[in-house]
Every structure is written in structure tokens, then in C-alpha cells.
Amino acid sequence: MTADLILHNARALTMDPVRPRAQSVAIGADRILACGDDAVVLALAGPQTRLIDCRGATLLPGFVESHLHLFSGAYGQTLLQLAGVRGIDALGQAVAAFAAANPEAALLFGQGADYTLLGEGHRLDRHALDRVCRDRPLALMAYDFHTLFANTAALRAAGLLHGRSLPPGNQVVMGPDGLATGELREKLALMPVLELRDIGGREMLGMSGLEPPVPPSVADRAEDLRVLRLGLAHAARHGITSMHNMDGNRYLLELLDCLRQNGTLSARVKVPFHLTPEMPLSNLDRASAMARDFDGPMLTSGLVKMFLDGVIESGTAALLDDYTNRPGHRGETLFTPDHFRTAVIEADRRGLQIAVHAIGDAAVRLALDSYAAAAVVNGPRDRRHRIEHAEVVHPDDLHRFAALGVIASMQPPHAPTGCNGTTDGIGPARAPHAYAWRDLVDAGAEYAFSSDWPIAPLSPLSGIQAAMTRQGWLPDLPDQRLTLHEVLEAYTRRGAHAGFHEGLTGRLITGLKADLTLLDGDIEAVEPESIGAMQVVLTIFDGNIAHARRIPRSAATRCAHPSRRPTPHEP
Ligand SMILES: [Zn+2]
């Protein structure tokens, strides 16, 4: 059999324990035909075969990004970007420029706001936001998407100025004047403001398991497809060929299926059904229908996503003991324990995979307890239920991940690098058990890594660097760093396993789909501190080139000195 494409002279890390290294990969149609030494693989070349000389650079299975939000991440690229904006003057200038450029926008919307954007001790409240913009609705999303800050005009337009009573865990923060301060905590509090936007909040509906209330117009669908293509192209530039979207609805699956039929879907995408505490469990019928209707090699569902708690910074993560910076406060789970256990058992009975956002050690424990209960009630099977984030894990629970076959789905870029609101809440007693990647791996847990884009930049190479170079924020914390090979596995083979795709992708072996990522140098020769600055020069998805830039002449030597890398050229 003749190959369509052969990548040769590579340092291929196959993620296959039987043959971990190779020089060359041959591709025929959408499959890997062969993987091995140049001499053997190049024998598959015919007159029509395209040859790519990798010049000694690292060739990997296409990256699997195991937790991201494609629709909101892609949409976010069109918004006011607040990362790095500090102080009221800088904020005022950024908002004024954005407002002038978007004169028709119903809501001026920024993302990536730091909780301390105005400086320590200065609250981001409606009074501060009114100073930068009084006459038009303005809202700024915190970088973690758990808090939204709105000005008075936005609060009034959303009907929140006089407060609103909401289910536990969601809060319109009220001031001493009896009016909302402008700080809106968690999804149900911030949705009324998001609905003011021109996109109508369609990219956020999947976070609540909702479908568009009225069928989107042809123009709206075209705009949504345009936004999704932006996001997919961004992912391809970062070498991503598989992604587990962590919010979802049928509308998103239908949009992605449209791209698949056009031949423009450039990654395998898993889309869950999102079950909220407010929904009767009969809504899981919708999850089962999505699992049945979307079960191909490119587009799958079969996953139920739930939020069990919030985040440490805002005190909404559920901890077993008091927050160190808020005595008497432990946070609470968004589902009651009985309700959550019942929901898990029912989703599990349907044969669905479950992914639960659990950040605090109380939420992690309740998730593990509920997964254990489901296994008792429904009997043994290959479940691969997941805990998303698992940022604080009680040491007694570390071994339970492996015992229960639960996947720790974690985000290396999220670990704090210095003392801040997160670390103040965790405190010194829990700090050794926070972001405990090494402890979980050593306890035998299955694990997968990701960015949670748009919460962190969508860059597996940055994630690899973060996981290899992590430093504790207090002296003498245990070393939680992982080795290059452990981290690469999380972004390839183990990520594919977490998505039930190990028979399709995640390794470079004969017969799997041709999903590959070529870097601009030898990742094993680059200092860990410089891996995030490496570039993806080629992304191949399903046998087709999804992203390409010119391969440096002597890739391996150049990348040992990343500061001397020339500006890459687009082909
Ligand atoms: Zn997420």
C-alpha cells in the first residue's frame, strides 16, 4: 500500500509503550499506515507521496484538550480583553476605546478581569464601573467566569438592581444602600446580564443545559458557525486534534455537525449534556438522545456534565473545613448530597459518562462517594467518570481515584504561582494537598490535562511547561511537578482514554486515525521553562493538514536556544 504522506526524519514520541520512539510516520487517507524507522516507512512512498522532512523535531499524537469551552472561548476572541489591565485609568481607556469601536452593542462586555483589577482594597463594584461608563450597560467577566461585575445601567437593564433571590451558591451581592453592588456570583446571578448581549447568550446556553428559546435565524446560525470556526482554527494552531467541550446542548452539536458535513471540523469534539440542580432528572432523556444521535469518530456526546461547587476565590468551592480567610465559612455544594447521588446513579444507569466540576475537598469527596454508590447500585462496567479540576483533595481520598477508576481531569495552568485569594482561602494546612498532581499520579489515578479555555490560554505547550515547572506558593510544600513523559501522556494517550477514543487517537500506531502534531524543535532538549514558547508547525487531523507553518531549517538545534528562534512564517 502506498502512502499519501510521510513525515520522516522526526523524533516521534509515539505514546505506545511497545515502541515508544520512531523516526517516521506514513499516512494513507485518514489512517496511520506505518510508524517506525525511516528506512522501513519510506519504502511505502510512491510517485504521488508527499514527503515532509521534520528535521529532527518532535512529532506527537495530536493533542487532546480534555476540558475547554469552545463556543464561549471562540466568542471571547471578539470581546474587550482585560487580561493585564490594571487600575481605573487603564480600565477607563480600554472601555472607552471598545465602546467607540462598538457603537451599536447592547452591552459593552469585557472578559479576563482580575478580581484585584483596581488594586488591593478597591472593589470592582457598580460605582467604580459607573465612573468609567455611566450611560451604556457595561459588564466585566472575571477571568474564572464565576463572577460578573456590572455597572448600574447593566443591573437596571437586567432587572437585578434591587436584587433577586436565587438558589444556593448563586448570589446578587447587596450593598448597605439596599441595592445590588454590581458583583454577581455564579451562573444564575450573571445570566440575566449576559442575555443583554447581541449574541443573546447563545454561546453560554450550554453552561446551563438549555437550548435557544427560539430557533436561531439563518443569520444567527451563520454568525455562530463563523465564531466556532475561529475557535477551531485557534485550537489547530496549538496542535489540538481532540477536545472535550465541558458545556453543551444539542444546538452546539448541530452546529458542529454542520461543520463536519462541510469538511471544516478540524478536531474530534465531545459535547456533554449539562444537568443543573434545577432540572428534573427526566431531562437526562435529552442526554440519552444526544448520546444516541451523535456517536461518530468526529462528534460524540454520551457525557453528562454537572457543577458540584464553585471556586475558592469567591468562597463558593465546598471545603470540608473552614476557609482559612473566612472562619465559619465552608462553602456549599450546588446539589444536596442526596440529590447529587440520585442524579449520578440515574445518569450512570443510562450508560452515560459523567464529568463533575468539583474544586473543594468536600465536593471532591461527594463526587467520589456518589460514583462509588453508582457502581454498587448499577454493577461493574467501564465507566471512566471524571472529576474536573480536583484542586483540593483530602489525603484520605487520593487513593480512591484509582480504586474507583475515576479520572482526575486537571488544569496545570490554574495552579497559583503566588499568594492570592485562592491560596488565602486554602491556607497552609491544606496547601500540601492542593493541585496535588504528583500525589494523584503516584496514587495511580488516571489523569488528563487541559486549559479550561477561555479561563487559561488554549496552549497545551504552556500546560506542559506549567506541569513540569510548578513551584509551591509557600516554602516547603511538596514537589508536585511531573516529568515530560507523564505530562505528554496526559495531553495524548490518557486524554484519548478519558474520551473513550483510545481506539481512534492518542498514540502513533498503525491503524489509528492520522492525528499528529509536529513541533518546531526537540521538546526533550528544550528547558522546561521554554516549552511554552515552542511552536506547533504542523497539525494533521484525520489525515488532513489543519494547520501548517514553515518548518525551521534545523529544528532540533534551534529549539535548544529558543530566544534565537526566528519569527515563524505562515506558509
Ligand atoms: Zn470549565
Side-chain angles (χ1 to χ4, degrees), residues 67-69 207 246 305 307 357 388-389 452-453 455:
H67 183 138
L68 88 172
H69 302 274
M207 296 294 287
M246 275 296 148
K305 171 81 189 294
F307 271 95
H357 168 117
E388 305 303 314
H389 311 306
D452 204 359
W453 189 57
I455 291 176

Side-chain angles (χ1 to χ4, degrees), residues 357-507:
H357 168 117
I359 281 185
D361 50 9
V364 170
R365 180 167 290 177
L366 176 56
L368 291 167
D369 289 348
S370 303
Y371 290 155
V376 169
V377 172
N378 296 328
R381 77 175 169 94
D382 184 6
R383 301 181 148 78
R384 307 190 199 178
H385 293 329
R386 311 166 41 138
I387 294 182
E388 305 303 314
H389 311 306
E391 289 181 0
V392 186
V393 180
H394 192 280
D396 293 351
D397 291 328
L398 285 171
H399 72 283
R400 299 178 70 202
F401 283 78
L404 294 165
V406 172
I407 296 163
S409 168
M410 301 181 287
Q411 292 71 38
H414 291 197
T417 50
C419 293
N420 60 25
T422 307
T423 56
D424 294 347
I426 291 170
R430 276 178 294 237
H433 316 300
Y435 307 90
W437 312 324
R438 165 56 60 203
D439 293 349
L440 279 160
V441 169
D442 287 352
E446 266 295 341
Y447 59 99
F449 282 168
S450 56
S451 65
D452 204 359
W453 189 57
I455 291 176
L458 183 59
S459 166
L461 288 168
S462 296
I464 292 166
Q465 175 175 329
M468 291 177 70
T469 60
R470 157 92 178 281
Q471 298 295 319
W473 61 86
L474 296 173
D476 302 325
L477 288 182
D479 187 352
Q480 299 287 358
R481 288 176 298 177
L482 298 178
T483 66
L484 175 65
H485 197 76
E486 287 169 328
V487 186
L488 286 176
E489 283 207 323
Y491 280 105
T492 55
R493 181 178 74 76
R494 292 178 185 273
H497 175 266
F500 286 94
H501 270 179
E502 67 272 23
L504 286 176
T505 190
R507 290 168 295 163

Side-chain angles (χ1 to χ4, degrees), residues 204-225:
M204 292 287 287
L205 289 173
M207 296 294 287
S208 316
L210 301 174
E211 300 296 336
V214 288
S217 66
V218 172
D220 284 347
R221 282 181 67 96
E223 171 63 8
D224 292 348
L225 288 169

Side-chain angles (χ1 to χ4, degrees), residues 323-348:
Y323 277 71
T324 308
N325 55 355
R326 287 176 68 181
H329 177 77
R330 295 181 178 186
E332 54 194 334
T333 54
L334 296 165
F335 286 76
T336 65
D338 278 347
H339 184 187
F340 184 71
R341 196 177 307 112
T342 308
V344 164
I345 289 171
E346 173 56 16
D348 181 80

